[in-house]
Coordinates of all heavy atoms in Angstrom, one line a residue:
A414 N 31.1 52.0 -23.5 CA 29.6 52.4 -23.4 C 29.1 52.6 -24.8 O 28.0 52.1 -25.1 CB 29.4 53.6 -22.5
A415 N 29.8 53.3 -25.6 CA 29.4 53.6 -27.0 C 29.4 52.3 -27.8 O 28.5 52.1 -28.7 CB 30.2 54.6 -27.6
E416 N 30.3 51.4 -27.5 CA 30.5 50.2 -28.4 C 29.7 49.0 -27.8 O 29.8 47.9 -28.4 CB 32.0 49.8 -28.4 CG 32.9 50.8 -29.0 CD 33.1 50.6 -30.5 OE1 32.2 49.9 -31.1 OE2 34.1 51.1 -31.1
E417 N 29.0 49.2 -26.7 CA 28.5 48.0 -26.0 C 27.6 47.1 -26.8 O 27.5 45.9 -26.7 CB 27.7 48.5 -24.7 CG 27.3 47.4 -23.8 CD 26.7 47.9 -22.5 OE1 26.4 49.1 -22.4 OE2 26.4 47.1 -21.6
H418 N 26.8 47.7 -27.7 CA 25.8 46.9 -28.5 C 26.3 46.7 -29.9 O 25.6 46.4 -30.8 CB 24.5 47.7 -28.6 CG 23.9 47.9 -27.2 ND1 23.4 46.9 -26.4 CD2 23.8 49.1 -26.5 CE1 23.0 47.4 -25.3 NE2 23.2 48.8 -25.3
Y419 N 27.6 46.8 -30.1 CA 28.2 46.7 -31.4 C 28.9 45.3 -31.6 O 29.5 44.9 -30.6 CB 29.3 47.8 -31.6 CG 29.7 48.2 -33.0 CD1 28.8 47.9 -34.1 CD2 30.9 48.8 -33.2 CE1 29.2 48.3 -35.4 CE2 31.3 49.2 -34.5 CZ 30.4 48.9 -35.6 OH 30.8 49.2 -36.9
A420 N 28.7 44.6 -32.7 CA 29.3 43.3 -32.9 C 30.6 43.2 -33.6 O 31.1 42.2 -33.9 CB 28.3 42.4 -33.6
H421 N 31.2 44.4 -33.8 CA 32.5 44.5 -34.5 C 33.6 43.9 -33.6 O 33.6 44.0 -32.4 CB 32.8 46.0 -34.8 CG 33.8 46.2 -35.8 ND1 35.2 46.1 -35.5 CD2 33.8 46.5 -37.1 CE1 35.9 46.4 -36.5 NE2 35.1 46.6 -37.5
P422 N 34.7 43.3 -34.3 CA 35.8 42.8 -33.5 C 36.5 43.8 -32.6 O 37.0 43.6 -31.6 CB 36.8 42.2 -34.6 CG 35.9 41.9 -35.7 CD 34.8 42.9 -35.7
V423 N 36.5 45.1 -33.1 CA 37.1 46.2 -32.3 C 36.3 46.4 -31.1 O 36.8 46.6 -30.0 CB 37.2 47.5 -33.2 CG1 37.6 48.7 -32.3 CG2 38.2 47.3 -34.3
A424 N 35.0 46.4 -31.2 CA 34.1 46.6 -30.1 C 34.3 45.5 -29.1 O 34.3 45.7 -27.8 CB 32.6 46.7 -30.5
K425 N 34.4 44.3 -29.6 CA 34.6 43.1 -28.6 C 35.9 43.3 -27.8 O 36.0 43.0 -26.7 CB 34.7 41.8 -29.4 CG 33.4 41.4 -30.1 CD 33.5 40.1 -30.9 CE 32.2 39.8 -31.5 NZ 32.3 38.5 -32.3
A426 N 37.0 43.8 -28.5 CA 38.2 44.0 -27.8 C 38.1 45.1 -26.7 O 38.6 45.0 -25.6 CB 39.3 44.4 -28.8
V427 N 37.4 46.2 -27.0 CA 37.2 47.3 -26.1 C 36.4 46.8 -24.9 O 36.7 47.0 -23.7 CB 36.5 48.5 -26.8 CG1 36.0 49.5 -25.7 CG2 37.4 49.1 -27.8
L428 N 35.3 46.1 -25.1 CA 34.4 45.6 -24.0 C 35.2 44.5 -23.2 O 35.0 44.5 -22.0 CB 33.2 44.9 -24.6 CG 32.2 46.0 -25.2 CD1 31.1 45.3 -26.0 CD2 31.5 46.8 -24.1
R429 N 36.0 43.7 -23.8 CA 36.8 42.7 -23.1 C 37.7 43.4 -22.1 O 37.9 43.1 -21.0 CB 37.6 41.8 -24.0 CG 38.3 40.7 -23.4 CD 39.3 40.0 -24.3 NE 38.7 39.7 -25.6 CZ 39.1 40.2 -26.7 NH1 40.1 41.1 -26.7 NH2 38.5 39.9 -27.8
A430 N 38.4 44.5 -22.6 CA 39.3 45.2 -21.8 C 38.6 45.9 -20.6 O 39.1 46.0 -19.5 CB 40.1 46.3 -22.6
A431 N 37.4 46.5 -20.9 CA 36.6 47.1 -19.8 C 36.2 46.1 -18.8 O 36.3 46.4 -17.5 CB 35.4 47.8 -20.4
R432 N 35.8 44.9 -19.2 CA 35.4 43.9 -18.2 C 36.6 43.4 -17.4 O 36.5 43.2 -16.2 CB 34.8 42.7 -19.0 CG 33.4 42.9 -19.5 CD 32.7 41.6 -19.8 NE 33.5 40.8 -20.9 CZ 33.3 41.0 -22.2 NH1 32.4 41.8 -22.6 NH2 34.0 40.3 -23.0
D433 N 37.8 43.3 -18.1 CA 39.0 42.9 -17.3 C 39.4 43.9 -16.3 O 39.9 43.5 -15.2 CB 40.1 42.7 -18.3 CG 40.0 41.5 -19.3 OD1 39.1 40.7 -19.0 OD2 40.7 41.4 -20.3
R434 N 39.1 45.1 -16.5 CA 39.4 46.2 -15.5 C 38.3 46.4 -14.5 O 38.4 47.2 -13.6 CB 39.7 47.5 -16.2 CG 41.0 47.4 -17.1 CD 41.4 48.8 -17.5 NE 42.6 48.8 -18.4 CZ 43.4 49.8 -18.6 NH1 43.1 51.0 -18.0 NH2 44.4 49.7 -19.4
G435 N 37.1 45.7 -14.7 CA 36.0 45.8 -13.8 C 35.3 47.2 -13.8 O 34.8 47.6 -12.8
L436 N 35.3 47.8 -15.0 CA 34.7 49.1 -15.1 C 33.2 49.1 -15.2 O 32.6 48.2 -15.8 CB 35.3 49.8 -16.4 CG 36.8 50.0 -16.4 CD1 37.2 50.7 -17.7 CD2 37.4 50.7 -15.2
T437 N 32.6 50.1 -14.6 CA 31.1 50.3 -14.7 C 30.9 51.3 -15.9 O 31.4 52.4 -15.9 CB 30.6 50.9 -13.4 OG1 30.9 50.0 -12.3 CG2 29.1 51.1 -13.5
L438 N 30.0 50.9 -16.8 CA 29.8 51.7 -18.0 C 28.7 52.6 -17.8 O 27.6 52.3 -17.2 CB 29.5 50.7 -19.2 CG 30.5 49.6 -19.5 CD1 30.1 48.9 -20.8 CD2 31.9 50.2 -19.6
P439 N 28.8 53.9 -18.2 CA 27.7 54.9 -18.1 C 26.6 54.6 -19.0 O 26.7 53.7 -19.9 CB 28.4 56.2 -18.5 CG 29.6 55.8 -19.4 CD 30.0 54.5 -18.8
A440 N 25.4 55.2 -18.8 CA 24.2 55.0 -19.5 C 24.4 55.4 -21.0 O 25.0 56.5 -21.2 CB 23.0 55.6 -18.9
T441 N 23.8 54.6 -21.9 CA 24.0 54.9 -23.3 C 22.6 55.0 -24.0 O 21.7 54.2 -23.6 CB 24.8 53.9 -24.0 OG1 26.0 53.7 -23.3 CG2 25.1 54.2 -25.5
S442 N 22.4 55.9 -25.0 CA 21.2 56.0 -25.7 C 21.5 56.4 -27.1 O 22.6 56.9 -27.4 CB 20.2 56.9 -25.0 OG 20.7 58.2 -25.0
Q443 N 20.5 56.4 -28.0 CA 20.5 56.8 -29.4 C 21.8 56.3 -30.1 O 22.6 57.1 -30.7 CB 20.5 58.4 -29.4 CG 19.2 59.0 -28.8 CD 19.2 60.5 -28.9 OE1 19.7 61.0 -29.9 NE2 18.7 61.1 -27.8
V444 N 22.0 55.0 -30.0 CA 23.1 54.4 -30.7 C 22.9 54.3 -32.2 O 21.8 53.8 -32.6 CB 23.4 53.0 -30.0 CG1 24.7 52.4 -30.7 CG2 23.7 53.1 -28.6
D445 N 23.9 54.7 -32.9 CA 23.8 54.6 -34.4 C 25.1 54.0 -34.9 O 26.2 54.6 -34.7 CB 23.6 56.0 -35.0 CG 23.3 56.0 -36.5 OD1 23.0 54.9 -37.0 OD2 23.5 57.0 -37.1
F446 N 24.9 52.9 -35.6 CA 26.1 52.2 -36.2 C 26.3 52.7 -37.6 O 25.3 52.6 -38.4 CB 25.9 50.7 -36.2 CG 25.6 50.1 -34.8 CD1 24.6 49.3 -34.6 CD2 26.5 50.4 -33.8 CE1 24.3 48.7 -33.4 CE2 26.2 49.9 -32.5 CZ 25.1 49.0 -32.3
I447 N 27.4 53.2 -37.9 CA 27.7 53.6 -39.3 C 28.7 52.5 -39.9 O 29.8 52.5 -39.5 CB 28.4 55.0 -39.4 CG1 27.4 56.1 -38.8 CG2 28.8 55.3 -40.8 CD1 27.5 56.3 -37.4
V448 N 28.1 51.7 -40.8 CA 28.9 50.5 -41.3 C 30.2 51.0 -41.9 O 30.2 51.9 -42.7 CB 28.0 49.8 -42.3 CG1 28.8 48.6 -42.9 CG2 26.8 49.2 -41.6
A449 N 31.2 50.3 -41.4 CA 32.6 50.5 -41.9 C 33.2 51.8 -41.5 O 34.3 52.2 -42.0 CB 32.7 50.3 -43.4
H450 N 32.6 52.5 -40.6 CA 33.1 53.8 -40.2 C 33.3 53.8 -38.6 O 34.4 54.0 -38.1 CB 32.2 55.0 -40.6 CG 32.3 55.2 -42.1 ND1 31.7 54.4 -43.0 CD2 32.9 56.2 -42.8 CE1 31.9 54.9 -44.2 NE2 32.7 56.0 -44.1
G451 N 32.2 53.6 -37.9 CA 32.2 53.7 -36.5 C 30.9 53.8 -35.8 O 29.9 53.3 -36.4
V452 N 30.9 54.3 -34.6 CA 29.6 54.4 -33.8 C 29.4 55.8 -33.3 O 30.3 56.5 -32.9 CB 29.8 53.4 -32.6 CG1 28.5 53.5 -31.7 CG2 30.0 52.0 -33.0

Side-chain angles (χ1 to χ4, degrees):
E416 298 268 22
E417 187 174 11
H418 302 289
Y419 200 24
H421 193 282
V423 171
K425 293 179 181 179
V427 170
L428 291 168
R429 186 191 313 114
R432 285 195 301 269
D433 291 344
R434 297 191 181 200
L436 302 181
T437 301
L438 305 186
T441 306
S442 63
Q443 301 181 36
V444 180
D445 185 17
F446 304 128
I447 296 89
V448 175
H450 288 76
V452 176

